[in-house]
Amino acid sequence: MSLVSLVFLAFAMSTDAFAAAIGKGSSLHKPRLTEALRTGLIFGAIEAITPLVGWLIGQAASRFVVEWDHWVAFTLLLLLGLHMIHVGLQPDSEGEEKPSRHSFWLLAVTAFATSIDALAVGFSLAFVEVNIFVAALAIGLATTLMVTIGTMLGRVLGAVIGKRAEILGGVVLILVGSTILYEHLAGA
Protein backbone atom coordinates (compact mmCIF):
# COMPACT_ATOMS: atom_id res chain seq x y z
CA MET A 1 0.00 0.00 0.00
CA SER A 2 1.43 3.37 -0.96
CA LEU A 3 1.98 6.20 1.51
CA VAL A 4 -0.72 8.29 -0.14
CA SER A 5 -3.22 5.43 0.18
CA LEU A 6 -2.24 4.99 3.82
CA VAL A 7 -2.79 8.69 4.59
CA PHE A 8 -6.16 8.64 2.82
CA LEU A 9 -7.09 5.48 4.71
CA ALA A 10 -6.11 7.01 8.06
CA PHE A 11 -8.22 10.11 7.49
CA ALA A 12 -11.11 8.10 6.01
CA MET A 13 -11.13 5.96 9.13
CA SER A 14 -11.36 9.08 11.29
CA THR A 15 -14.31 10.71 9.51
CA ASP A 16 -17.00 8.82 11.41
CA ALA A 17 -15.22 9.65 14.67
CA PHE A 18 -14.98 13.28 13.48
CA ALA A 19 -18.74 13.29 12.85
CA ALA A 20 -19.36 11.83 16.32
CA ALA A 21 -17.00 14.41 17.86
CA ILE A 22 -18.93 17.24 16.24
CA GLY A 23 -22.03 15.84 17.89
CA LYS A 24 -20.27 15.48 21.23
CA GLY A 25 -18.80 18.98 20.97
CA SER A 26 -22.16 20.47 20.04
CA SER A 27 -23.67 19.12 23.25
CA LEU A 28 -21.07 20.82 25.45
CA HIS A 29 -21.19 24.44 26.50
CA LYS A 30 -18.07 26.05 25.03
CA PRO A 31 -15.83 22.96 25.05
CA ARG A 32 -12.28 23.63 26.20
CA LEU A 33 -9.20 22.39 24.40
CA THR A 34 -8.40 20.02 27.29
CA GLU A 35 -11.81 18.32 26.94
CA ALA A 36 -11.39 18.16 23.17
CA LEU A 37 -7.90 16.65 23.50
CA ARG A 38 -9.10 14.14 26.09
CA THR A 39 -11.89 13.09 23.73
CA GLY A 40 -9.42 12.89 20.83
CA LEU A 41 -6.99 10.72 22.77
CA ILE A 42 -9.71 8.28 23.85
CA PHE A 43 -11.03 7.96 20.31
CA GLY A 44 -7.51 7.80 18.80
CA ALA A 45 -6.32 5.05 21.14
CA ILE A 46 -9.35 2.87 20.48
CA GLU A 47 -9.22 3.56 16.73
CA ALA A 48 -5.52 2.51 16.69
CA ILE A 49 -6.14 -0.74 18.59
CA THR A 50 -9.06 -2.04 16.53
CA PRO A 51 -7.21 -2.40 13.19
CA LEU A 52 -4.50 -4.36 15.02
CA VAL A 53 -7.12 -6.77 16.33
CA GLY A 54 -8.70 -7.04 12.88
CA TRP A 55 -5.28 -7.60 11.30
CA LEU A 56 -4.54 -10.46 13.74
CA ILE A 57 -7.83 -12.10 12.81
CA GLY A 58 -7.05 -11.53 9.13
CA GLN A 59 -3.58 -13.06 9.50
CA ALA A 60 -5.13 -16.23 10.84
CA ALA A 61 -7.45 -16.37 7.82
CA SER A 62 -4.94 -15.16 5.19
CA ARG A 63 -3.50 -18.55 4.30
CA PHE A 64 -6.99 -19.62 3.20
CA VAL A 65 -7.60 -16.66 0.88
CA VAL A 66 -4.15 -15.69 -0.43
CA GLU A 67 -5.22 -16.21 -4.07
CA TRP A 68 -8.02 -13.63 -3.90
CA ASP A 69 -6.91 -11.40 -1.01
CA HIS A 70 -7.13 -8.22 -3.10
CA TRP A 71 -10.78 -8.99 -3.82
CA VAL A 72 -11.44 -9.49 -0.09
CA ALA A 73 -9.83 -6.12 0.75
CA PHE A 74 -11.70 -4.38 -2.09
CA THR A 75 -15.06 -5.93 -1.15
CA LEU A 76 -14.74 -5.10 2.56
CA LEU A 77 -13.68 -1.51 1.89
CA LEU A 78 -16.42 -1.12 -0.74
CA LEU A 79 -19.08 -2.39 1.67
CA LEU A 80 -17.79 -0.24 4.52
CA GLY A 81 -17.69 2.79 2.24
CA LEU A 82 -21.21 2.18 0.99
CA HIS A 83 -22.41 1.75 4.58
CA MET A 84 -20.80 5.05 5.62
CA ILE A 85 -22.43 6.81 2.65
CA HIS A 86 -25.79 5.24 3.54
CA VAL A 87 -25.50 6.38 7.17
CA GLY A 88 -24.44 9.85 6.03
CA LEU A 89 -27.54 10.16 3.85
CA GLN A 90 -29.94 9.18 6.67
CA PRO A 91 -31.83 12.00 8.42
CA ASP A 92 -30.92 12.79 12.01
CA SER A 93 -33.25 11.46 14.65
CA GLU A 94 -35.26 14.20 16.31
CA GLY A 95 -35.70 14.57 20.03
CA GLU A 96 -32.41 13.04 21.14
CA GLU A 97 -31.41 14.33 24.55
CA LYS A 98 -27.82 15.53 24.63
CA PRO A 99 -25.64 14.94 27.69
CA SER A 100 -24.33 17.94 29.59
CA ARG A 101 -21.02 16.22 30.40
CA HIS A 102 -19.19 13.34 28.76
CA SER A 103 -17.93 10.53 30.95
CA PHE A 104 -14.93 8.43 29.98
CA TRP A 105 -17.16 5.38 29.44
CA LEU A 106 -19.60 7.22 27.20
CA LEU A 107 -16.70 8.43 25.07
CA ALA A 108 -15.08 4.97 25.05
CA VAL A 109 -18.30 3.26 23.94
CA THR A 110 -18.86 5.90 21.25
CA ALA A 111 -15.24 5.53 20.12
CA PHE A 112 -15.59 1.76 19.93
CA ALA A 113 -18.82 2.07 17.95
CA THR A 114 -17.10 4.33 15.43
CA SER A 115 -14.06 2.03 15.24
CA ILE A 116 -15.85 -1.15 14.15
CA ASP A 117 -15.01 -0.21 10.59
CA ALA A 118 -11.33 0.04 11.59
CA LEU A 119 -11.55 -3.56 12.80
CA ALA A 120 -12.79 -4.62 9.36
CA VAL A 121 -10.15 -2.48 7.66
CA GLY A 122 -7.47 -4.11 9.82
CA PHE A 123 -8.82 -7.49 8.73
CA SER A 124 -8.61 -6.46 5.07
CA LEU A 125 -5.08 -5.07 5.54
CA ALA A 126 -3.90 -8.55 6.48
CA PHE A 127 -4.28 -9.44 2.80
CA VAL A 128 -2.14 -6.64 1.35
CA GLU A 129 1.46 -5.53 1.73
CA VAL A 130 1.30 -3.02 4.60
CA ASN A 131 3.02 -2.47 7.94
CA ILE A 132 0.03 -2.78 10.27
CA PHE A 133 1.76 -0.91 13.09
CA VAL A 134 2.39 2.12 10.89
CA ALA A 135 -1.18 1.91 9.57
CA ALA A 136 -2.65 1.63 13.10
CA LEU A 137 -0.49 4.51 14.34
CA ALA A 138 -1.53 6.65 11.36
CA ILE A 139 -5.21 5.84 11.96
CA GLY A 140 -4.87 6.59 15.69
CA LEU A 141 -3.07 9.90 15.13
CA ALA A 142 -5.46 11.01 12.40
CA THR A 143 -8.41 10.14 14.64
CA THR A 144 -6.93 11.98 17.62
CA LEU A 145 -6.42 15.08 15.48
CA MET A 146 -9.81 14.90 13.76
CA VAL A 147 -11.75 14.23 16.97
CA THR A 148 -9.99 17.04 18.83
CA ILE A 149 -10.82 19.44 16.01
CA GLY A 150 -14.35 18.03 15.68
CA THR A 151 -15.06 18.52 19.36
CA MET A 152 -13.93 22.13 19.21
CA LEU A 153 -15.91 22.79 16.03
CA GLY A 154 -18.98 20.90 17.25
CA ARG A 155 -20.76 23.76 18.93
CA VAL A 156 -20.41 25.96 15.87
CA LEU A 157 -20.90 23.44 13.08
CA GLY A 158 -23.42 21.04 14.60
CA ALA A 159 -24.63 18.03 12.65
CA VAL A 160 -24.53 19.67 9.20
CA ILE A 161 -20.85 18.89 8.56
CA GLY A 162 -21.01 15.57 10.42
CA LYS A 163 -23.19 13.88 7.79
CA ARG A 164 -21.05 15.19 4.95
CA ALA A 165 -17.89 13.92 6.67
CA GLU A 166 -19.44 10.45 6.89
CA ILE A 167 -20.25 10.51 3.16
CA LEU A 168 -16.76 11.75 2.26
CA GLY A 169 -15.20 9.02 4.42
CA GLY A 170 -17.26 6.39 2.61
CA VAL A 171 -16.16 7.67 -0.78
CA VAL A 172 -12.51 7.65 0.33
CA LEU A 173 -12.79 4.05 1.59
CA ILE A 174 -14.20 2.98 -1.77
CA LEU A 175 -11.34 4.77 -3.54
CA VAL A 176 -8.75 3.09 -1.28
CA GLY A 177 -10.32 -0.32 -1.96
CA SER A 178 -10.34 0.39 -5.69
CA THR A 179 -6.69 1.44 -5.55
CA ILE A 180 -5.74 -1.82 -3.79
CA LEU A 181 -7.59 -3.82 -6.43
CA TYR A 182 -6.06 -1.80 -9.29
CA GLU A 183 -2.50 -2.07 -7.92
CA HIS A 184 -2.86 -5.85 -7.59
CA LEU A 185 -4.49 -6.42 -10.98
CA ALA A 186 -2.06 -4.07 -12.75
CA GLY A 187 0.88 -5.94 -11.17
CA ALA A 188 -0.49 -9.35 -12.24
Side-chain angles (χ1 to χ4, degrees), residues 30-40 147-149 151-152:
K30 297 182 182 178
R32 295 186 175 166
L33 182 58
T34 53
E35 177 64 19
L37 188 57
R38 174 180 163 263
T39 303
V147 168
T148 301
I149 292 169
T151 302
M152 294 303 291

Side-chain angles (χ1 to χ4, degrees), residues 70-147:
H70 52 285
W71 287 104
V72 171
F74 168 73
T75 302
L76 285 173
L77 292 172
L78 174 68
L79 293 174
L80 288 169
L82 290 173
H83 175 72
M84 287 176 72
I85 291 169
H86 175 72
V87 169
L89 293 173
Q90 297 301 308
D92 289 331
S93 31
E94 301 279 328
E96 275 187 35
E97 199 170 305
K98 297 177 181 177
S100 60
R101 182 178 160 261
H102 302 306
S103 71
F104 169 82
W105 292 110
L106 175 64
L107 292 174
V109 168
T110 305
F112 182 73
T114 63
S115 70
I116 296 299
D117 54 349
L119 183 79
V121 166
F123 180 84
S124 68
L125 290 177
F127 306 113
V128 296
E129 190 74 30
V130 66
N131 182 329
I132 189 60
F133 298 107
V134 172
L137 180 63
I139 291 168
L141 290 174
T143 302
T144 299
L145 176 66
M146 295 291 284
V147 168

